[in-house]
Amino acid sequence: MVIGVVIVLILIVIGLIIYNLRIHKKIQTFKNINQRITNLSVVQDFMNTVGETSSVDNKIKRMNEILIERYEIKYSTIVVFDGADYIVKASNVDERHWDSLRSLQDIEMFKDSITTATPKYVTVNDEKERLPYQQMEFGRAKSAIFFPLYIDNIYIGYWIIESGTPHDFDNVDITVLEVIKDNIVSILKTVEHQRTLESIVRTDEFTELYSEEYLYGEGKRKIDQYGTSTVCMFKITNLEMINKKYSRELGNKVVIEVSNFIKEAISSDYVFVRYMGPKFVIVFSGAEISGVADFINDKKEALEQLKVVYNDEKTKKEQQAIPRLNFVLSTYYKGTGLEEVLKKLEEYLDNADIQESDITNI
């Protein structure tokens, strides 16, 4: 009788163990699925950030904010090497600690991590201790994981997460953090093209206008505050003739006076750049093409009565020229390719008859 009861109890215990194992397995499966959903959601948030009309630095900061919010990370810092210096691109750590955070590549314990492209976990055992890389921070971080960042096998910086609790990352799933790190690298790689455009924007020495590249960075952010805008490209069609017949100095003065006239006539909300040579671009942000056409017509008439004078010091002769302009307008829709609109306008002006001096909508 007793043996039978014991056998029954043993079977019940075995059954409960099997049941608990199954429940544990289901919980782990659920956690894995939930983690994957979270990762996918974060990746989607990252991609949305890339698509936003903001600077590269703001996109990286937003990406770091997403990591902190979605993964409940206490401190997260992204440091990028720009070719000369290590720059803190994003961090929720007080700026007075950034000097130590941008110098981690010089810390012995992290050098091996950089060399081997593997993460490095550091922690303290006692609340009174501090992490080796901390110079003036006694209470902020007690554990950290350092991730070197690589793009196409080229070291570009690092990502470090920190906690104010010792051993806080002992049981963290490193594979999940590796996925996050890979996403950070992907975003940094994606925005590299935008960074390049932003870095090569220059100012024209004669007109003090931004160059064409401005349209694809800061300019586009201003433009994309509106759903539709009117893009106007115009060309000083007789500039080449003025340069040849009179002098390049007179031609430069024509360019300066035409650009100054336009600058004074348009709102600072609009984007005005020297596109290339005799061509200029005005983007009337949020404006309808019909209203812009009337405005351009008035300005064109005034400009084509503008007498530009240059006194040649060598010949002691006065040179005069009146600019002749050809305008073409088109509508730009937010989310579409601005460069395609500009290409279409440029092709029209380049193929137009040299004598054409109109305002054309395409």
Side-chain angles (χ1 to χ4, degrees):
M1 180 73 176
V2 175
I3 295 174
V5 171
V6 171
I7 292 173
V8 170
L9 289 174
I10 291 173
L11 291 173
I12 291 173
V13 170
I14 292 172
L16 287 172
I17 291 172
I18 293 171
Y19 175 77
N20 285 334
L21 287 173
R22 287 180 176 175
I23 291 296
H24 178 73
K25 188 176 181 180
K26 288 181 179 179
I27 290 172
Q28 288 302 115
T29 302
F30 174 77
K31 285 182 177 179
N32 290 337
I33 293 172
N34 189 53
Q35 188 63 62
R36 287 174 186 171
I37 292 171
T38 300
N39 289 342
L40 287 172
S41 178
V42 169
V43 171
Q44 183 60 56
D45 287 343
F46 279 1
M47 297 315 295
N48 290 341
T49 300
V50 171
E52 289 176 358
T53 53
S54 59
S55 68
V56 168
D57 287 344
N58 285 337
K59 287 178 181 178
I60 296 173
K61 288 175 184 176
R62 177 56 191 145
M63 177 175 63
N64 199 48
E65 290 170 1
I66 292 169
L67 294 175
I68 294 165
E69 294 167 5
R70 302 299 292 274
Y71 292 104
E72 299 180 352
I73 297 171
K74 179 67 174 177
Y75 300 110
S76 175
T77 301
I78 298 170
V79 178
V80 175
F81 183 60
D82 68 356
D85 300 299
Y86 283 83
I87 310 296
V88 176
K89 287 296 183 181
S91 180
N92 64 330
V93 177
D94 193 292
E95 285 193 37
R96 61 200 170 113
H97 303 310
W98 284 14
D99 281 343
S100 62
L101 287 172
R102 69 166 63 94
S103 305
L104 299 185
Q105 74 284 345
D106 297 325
I107 305 299
E108 199 62 39
M109 68 171 61
F110 295 134
K111 287 182 179 179
D112 183 59
S113 175
I114 293 170
T115 303
T116 59
T118 56
K120 176 70 175 180
Y121 176 35
V122 292
T123 187
V124 298
N125 296 313
D126 191 288
E127 286 285 352
K128 295 179 181 179
E129 295 180 71
R130 65 175 178 174
L131 295 174
Y133 64 86
Q134 294 180 310
Q135 299 171 2
M136 54 180 284
E137 315 162 72
F138 290 96
R140 184 180 65 79
K142 300 298 181 182
S143 55
I145 306 181
F146 175 93
F147 294 89
L149 303 176
Y150 285 79
I151 292 180
D152 298 330
N153 296 321
I154 298 174
Y155 171 67
I156 61 158
Y158 48 85
W159 172 47
I160 183 168
I161 59 172
E162 302 169 291
S163 169
T165 304
H167 294 278
D168 200 25
F169 299 122
D170 284 3
N171 299 314
V172 74
D173 188 347
I174 289 291
T175 57
V176 172
L177 293 176
E178 285 280 5
V179 171
I180 299 171
K181 181 208 71 175
D182 290 342
N183 288 333
I184 292 173
V185 170
S186 296
I187 298 305
L188 291 174
K189 190 173 182 179
T190 301
V191 299
E192 190 61 33
H193 178 62
Q194 181 183 340
R195 188 198 308 279
T196 301
L197 284 175
E198 290 178 353
S199 66
I200 63 176
V201 171
R202 60 193 186 283
T203 303
D204 179 62
E205 64 176 310
F206 296 114
T207 63
E208 297 184 352
L209 296 174
Y210 286 124
S211 61
E212 171 195 355
E213 291 79 14
Y214 179 79
L215 291 168
Y216 308 115
E218 183 62 32
K220 196 169 187 296
R221 285 189 283 280
K222 293 178 67 174
I223 298 164
D224 280 351
Q225 293 177 19
Y226 304 88
T228 61
S229 299
T230 297
V231 182
C232 168
M233 184 180 290
F234 70 89
K235 180 179 182 181
I236 305 175
T237 58
N238 61 339
L239 182 61
E240 186 177 355
M241 181 275 292
I242 293 170
N243 288 337
K244 288 181 178 179
K245 184 176 180 179
Y246 299 103
S247 65
R248 185 166 292 274
E249 287 75 15
L250 179 59
N252 290 339
K253 194 168 183 183
V254 168
V255 167
I256 292 168
E257 297 207 15
V258 167
S259 65
N260 286 342
F261 183 93
I262 296 292
K263 271 192 285 188
E264 293 175 5
I266 64 174
S267 165
S268 60
D269 293 332
Y270 299 149
V271 177
F272 182 32
V273 302
R274 186 171 187 183
Y275 189 74
M276 191 180 298
K279 293 188 284 286
F280 296 78
V281 169
I282 314 168
V283 182
F284 295 88
S285 310
E288 295 290 335
I289 201 166
S290 55
V292 170
D294 292 337
F295 171 82
I296 290 297
N297 187 60
D298 291 341
K299 302 311 166 190
K300 182 178 183 298
E301 287 182 3
L303 279 168
E304 292 188 333
Q305 295 176 25
L306 183 67
K307 185 181 290 185
V308 181
V309 177
Y310 171 73
N311 293 306
D312 191 330
E313 293 183 0
K314 292 181 180 179
T315 64
K316 304 299 181 182
K317 291 183 179 180
E318 182 182 89
Q319 300 174 352
Q320 294 184 7
I322 296 174
R324 188 171 63 247
L325 308 168
N326 197 12
F327 287 81
V328 60
L329 309 175
S330 187
T331 300
Y332 163 73
Y333 298 91
K334 179 181 177 179
T336 61
L338 178 59
E339 64 279 4
E340 294 301 320
V341 176
L342 294 170
K343 182 180 178 182
K344 180 174 64 174
L345 299 180
E346 185 177 23
E347 285 178 352
Y348 178 87
L349 289 177
D350 286 344
N351 293 320
D353 188 282
I354 194 68
Q355 298 301 320
E356 182 179 317
S357 179
D358 294 319
I359 300 174
T360 305
N361 297 347
I362 60 172

